[in-house]
Structure formats: C-alpha cells, structure tokens
C-alpha cells in the first residue's frame, strides 16, 4: 500500500479498516439508496512491462455494507476550455504533449510542465519543470535566441552505488507533523495535522545533504564571481575559458566588419577548394 507509516498509523487510530488488494466492482443500491459496495480480488497491479494493468479474480467477490460511499481523488486533467482554439495536442491520458527538453507544446508559445505534462509525479519534479519552462520562455521571447543552443541537457549519470560511503549522511530522522488536539478525526474530514513549527522546518532543512551541486547556465552567467565567495564548501571556482578581451559597444562595428570579411573569405576559399577536389 503506497502510504507513509504515519499515514497508516493515523488511519488505524481513526478505526479505519484497511483491505488491501481489492478493486471496486459496483456500488450496491436498494430503493434508490446506497447499501454497500462489491469488490473483486486484485491479483496483480502491473503487467510484465511494469505498466499499470490490474488483473482481477472475478470469482473472488467481497461485499461490504455501507450507507455512504466516498470516492477518493483520482487524478486526471480537466482542461475545460483552457486550450480551445490552440494547437496544443493531448496524450490519451489527457496530459499535454510537449518536447521533453524544451517543454514546448505544439502551440509554439505554450510551454507545460508538472502533472499536466507527466501525469501524477512529485512536487520536486513539478518545481524542476517550472524552472526549465521559465528558461524556455525567457529564450523564446528573446529575438534570435534558440530554445536548445548551449542549453544544459541535464543528462545525469547515476551514482556508483557500490562505491559510495554514505555513513554519517542524513542521520537526522524525518520530522513528523503534530496533531491538532481539538480536532475530531472520527467525525470530520478536516486534516488533523498541524503544519511544521519553525524549529521543525529548521531541523528538516538540516537533513539536506548539502552536496553543493549546482548548474551554471553559461549564457546567463556574468562572471561576477560572487558565487565563489558565497559557497561555504569552496566548491565553486571561476576559470577563464577564453583569453579574449571584449570591446565596448561603440567600438564593435569595425570588429564585426573585419570578422565578417574574414569569414566570407574563408567560405569562398573552402568552396574553391571543393571545386578542385571534385575535378
Ligand atoms: C493526494 C496527493 C498526495 C501527494 N503527496 C505528495 C507528496 O507527499 N510528495 C510529493 O512530492 N508529491 C505529492 N503529490 C504530488 C504533487 O502534489 C504534484 O506532483 C504537484 O503538486 C504537481 O504540481 P503542478 O504545479 O504540476 O500541479 P498542481 O500542484 O496540481 O497545480 C495546478 C494548479 O493549477 C490550478 N488550475 C487548474 N485548472 C486551472 C484553470 N483552468 N485555470 C487556472 N488555474 C487552474 C489548480 O487549482 C492548481 O492550483 C501528491 C498528490 C496528491 C494528489
């Protein structure tokens, strides 16, 4: 059952009965009123390709009496008329089709990310997609900028788990939210959990491994070097990659003209060379 131990604990203290591996078959109704639910045994949830494809045993049926039936939230995207008249196209599960790198949809000035693109995932994924979509939009609105050129593809290599010493990391236990003592969990649907206190948030953030990993967008970095003085771990250093001095805008014209003539000359020379090679 995909739930945190404390969620199970909370459910049990509220006298919730847990029946795993049963799928709802139909709601039983008598004289226009609900009287129960019929469940069938679920034998497996995923198929051999790891896809959600539950298999049930029709012969194994269980009836549960009830005078109220609550359907828990199912996540599907309800677009309403948000994308009417646009070229945005959808997948069969109603998520928006988009380029996985640039997050651009079939409507060039619409970018998507998060659950609406991936289906249910994690908050951190949605945050990361939000950042990438913002980079795409920033580039999109700058005339002449490409969505992909010089962009960090964020291809990560997995850790060598056999050669890793994590002793000492994340030894602080996860914080648990306190409960609202005045709440009546058995007779209301109000969430009885409090938010974290300031002390709890401080403790929880201390659990961050603080590996110092950061990604610099070379196109946005001004090279001011402030980051090198901020990093407590001294993990950032600034290196001169090209030994060239820039020109102020007013003096740029002759430099560009000289470079353009040089470039044209090179192209012509290459073409002539090609003609002789063919002969
Ligand atoms: C019950 C549940 C528990 C979860 N637990 C966790 C967890 O413990 N950890 C974790 O990392 N993730 C968890 N998730 C997943 C996480 O919440 C999502 O992956 C994340 O919130 C997705 O962020 P999002 O910005 O893509 O979408 P959302 O957070 O869904 O934001 C979409 C926003 O768009 C608004 N909206 C919708 N339609 C319109 C419209 N037509 N016009 C204007 N606004 C609109 C919605 O009101 C909403 O505010 C959980 C999800 C659920 C449902």
């Amino acid at each position: 059952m995909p739930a945190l131990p404390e969620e199970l604990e909370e459910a049990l203290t509220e006298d919730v009965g847990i029946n795993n591996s049963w799928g709802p078959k139909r709601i039983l109704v008598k004289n226009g009123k609900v009287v129960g639910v019929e469940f069938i045994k679920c034998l497996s949830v995923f198929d051999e390709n790891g896809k959600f494809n539950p298999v049930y045993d029709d012969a194994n049926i269980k009836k549960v009496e009830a005078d109220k039936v609550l359907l828990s939230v199912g996540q599907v995207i309800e677009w309403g008329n948000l994308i009417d008249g646009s070229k945005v196209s959808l997948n069969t599960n109603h998520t928006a089709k988009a380029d996985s790198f640039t997050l651009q949809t079939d409507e060039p000035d619409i970018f998507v990310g998060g659950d609406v693109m991936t289906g249910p995932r994690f908050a951190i994924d949605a945050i990361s997609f939000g950042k990438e979509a913002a980079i795409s939009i920033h580039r999109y609105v700058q005339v002449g900028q490409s969505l992909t050129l010089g962009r960090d593809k964020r291809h990560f290599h997995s850790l060598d788990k056999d050669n890793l010493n994590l002793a000492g990391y994340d030894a602080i236990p996860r914080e648990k939210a306190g409960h609202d003592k005045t709440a009546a969990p058995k007779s209301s649907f109000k969430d009885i959990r409090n938010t974290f206190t300031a002390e709890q948030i401080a403790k929880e953030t201390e659990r961050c491994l603080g590996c110092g990993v950061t990604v610099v967008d070379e196109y946005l970095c001004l090279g001011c070097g402030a980051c090198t003085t901020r990093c407590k771990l001294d993990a950032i250093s600034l290196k001169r990659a090209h030994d060239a001095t820039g020109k102020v805008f007013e003096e740029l014209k002759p430099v560009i003209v000289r470079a353009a003539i040089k470039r044209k000359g090179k192209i012509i020379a290459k073409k002539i060379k090609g003609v002789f090679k063919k002969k």
Side-chain angles (χ1 to χ4, degrees):
M1 184 175 176
L4 290 172
E6 65 238 44
E7 289 171 332
L8 293 177
E9 215 175 279
E10 280 164 11
L12 293 171
T13 58
E14 291 176 28
D15 296 337
V16 172
I18 296 173
N19 294 278
N20 282 328
S21 307
W22 292 93
K25 187 169 189 233
R26 63 188 176 118
I27 293 176
L28 305 169
V29 179
K30 204 171 175 184
N31 301 327
K33 282 199 126 192
V34 64
V35 290
V37 186
E38 212 170 76
F39 292 93
I40 38 174
K41 188 76 186 164
C42 179
L43 300 174
S44 65
V45 181
F46 299 103
D47 63 18
E48 63 278 5
N49 300 319
K51 284 209 164 150
F52 179 73
N53 189 10
V55 175
Y56 296 102
D57 176 4
D58 278 330
N60 197 348
I61 290 178
K62 171 157 122 171
K63 280 183 192 168
V64 175
E65 286 181 13
D67 52 11
K68 285 191 180 71
V69 174
L70 304 168
L71 299 179
S72 51
V73 185
Q75 278 184 290
V76 73
I77 291 109
E78 183 55 73
W79 287 95
N81 54 10
L82 198 64
I83 49 171
D84 286 0
S86 79
K87 290 197 202 97
V88 177
S89 52
L90 303 178
N91 294 303
T92 42
N93 64 354
H94 285 216
T95 52
K97 280 187 186 162
D99 182 277
S100 59
F101 180 38
T102 65
L103 309 179
Q104 188 176 38
T105 62
D106 292 343
E107 183 68 64
D109 65 350
I110 298 184
F111 297 82
V112 290
D115 283 9
V116 85
M117 177 190 150
T118 58
R121 267 221 213 163
F122 294 106
I124 196 67
D125 292 310
I127 293 165
S128 150
F129 277 119
K131 286 192 170 182
E132 287 302 316
I135 293 171
S136 282
I137 294 165
H138 179 82
R139 284 170 170 246
Y140 185 79
V141 297
Q142 311 296 322
V143 181
Q145 272 242 31
S146 145
L147 289 182
T148 51
L149 214 64
R151 188 160 168 181
D152 183 357
K153 285 208 162 65
R154 301 170 72 83
H155 285 159
F156 300 111
H157 301 284
S158 56
L159 285 170
D160 179 2
K161 289 182 191 148
D162 300 325
N163 197 11
L164 200 65
N165 181 8
L166 288 178
Y169 279 114
D170 195 18
I172 313 166
R174 190 187 165 116
E175 285 297 307
K176 280 186 186 171
H179 287 173
D180 178 359
K181 298 267 181 330
T182 60
K186 287 187 191 172
S187 56
S188 115
F189 283 113
K190 195 173 167 283
D191 191 347
I192 60 161
R193 288 168 300 177
N194 293 324
T195 48
F196 279 173
T197 62
E199 291 76 30
Q200 280 185 302
I201 290 173
K203 274 193 190 162
E204 195 66 7
T205 51
E206 276 168 24
R207 298 178 64 222
C208 169
L209 296 182
C211 58
V213 170
T214 179
V215 178
V216 177
D217 185 335
E218 288 176 35
Y219 282 74
L220 293 177
C221 174
L222 299 169
C224 71
C227 54
T228 60
T229 62
R230 297 272 168 86
C231 178
K232 288 182 206 159
L233 303 165
D234 209 15
I236 309 173
S237 61
L238 205 61
K239 278 188 193 150
R240 186 186 284 266
H242 313 287
D243 199 12
T245 40
K247 284 266 176 210
V248 289
F249 183 72
E250 290 78 9
E251 293 168 17
L252 264 184
K253 204 171 172 183
V255 178
I256 293 172
V257 171
R258 262 203 309 275
I261 294 169
K262 205 171 157 189
R263 189 166 168 266
K264 264 269 183 271
K266 272 188 181 172
I267 293 169
I268 293 168
K270 213 174 174 187
K271 268 189 186 165
I272 296 170
K273 227 176 166 183
V275 172
F276 280 115
K277 250 190 187 172
K278 269 184 199 165
K279 281 181 181 172

